[in-house]
Amino acid sequence: MLERLVMELGPWIWWIGGLLLLGLEVLAPGTFFLWFGLAAIVVGTLAILVEMPWQLEIVLFGLLSVVAVVVGRIYMRRQGTEGEEAGLNQRGARMVGREFVLAAPISGGQGSVRVDDSVWRVSGLDCPAGTRIRVVGVDGSTLVVAPVEG
């Protein structure tokens, strides 16, 4: 029965398999089935345009899958290390280099600064409230600051 279905569908079986693999990608974490799905769709498109034996289709699918996985991994690795959202879940690290005005004085090495709609704890040299400071580092959830010269 399965053989008859494959024979009747012909090259369209590659499209169906590719779409199923793309659907599986939605359910499974990572980006692994995506590359197999794309390779199957490419083989299906070629099989529709050019008459070829099924053995060649399978070999072509294998080769395209390997190439797609390798190229995809290289592409995804580059995408993961670049971009302005690289520190998305590290809010403190994203503050380094920004300047603010102290909301409360730093005394005994501890104080606070207002950042947008929240208040952050800061540590650094003792300074009065209203001093302009720059974030130079992060220690857990505490911003390490230094007064801005001039």
Side-chain angles (χ1 to χ4, degrees), residues 100-107 110-116 118-122 127-133 145:
F100 303 101
V101 176
L102 282 175
I106 299 177
S107 63
Q110 299 293 316
S112 63
V113 66
R114 187 155 193 76
V115 177
D116 300 324
S118 62
V119 177
W120 284 72
R121 185 183 355 223
V122 296
C127 300
T131 303
R132 189 148 193 84
I133 48 99
V145 299

Side-chain angles (χ1 to χ4, degrees), residues 21-62:
L21 286 167
L22 291 177
L24 187 59
E25 178 67 34
V26 173
L27 300 174
T31 54
F32 193 71
F33 292 109
L34 170 71
W35 312 119
F36 291 115
L38 292 176
I41 290 172
V42 169
V43 169
T45 303
L46 289 173
I48 290 170
L49 298 175
V50 178
E51 185 71 29
M52 63 179 89
W54 64 270
Q55 295 92 340
L56 180 60
E57 290 176 7
I58 291 175
V59 169
L60 188 59
F61 173 71

Side-chain angles (χ1 to χ4, degrees), residues 133-145:
I133 48 99
R134 176 178 293 125
V135 179
V136 295
V138 180
D139 182 21
S141 62
T142 302
L143 301 176
V144 180
V145 299

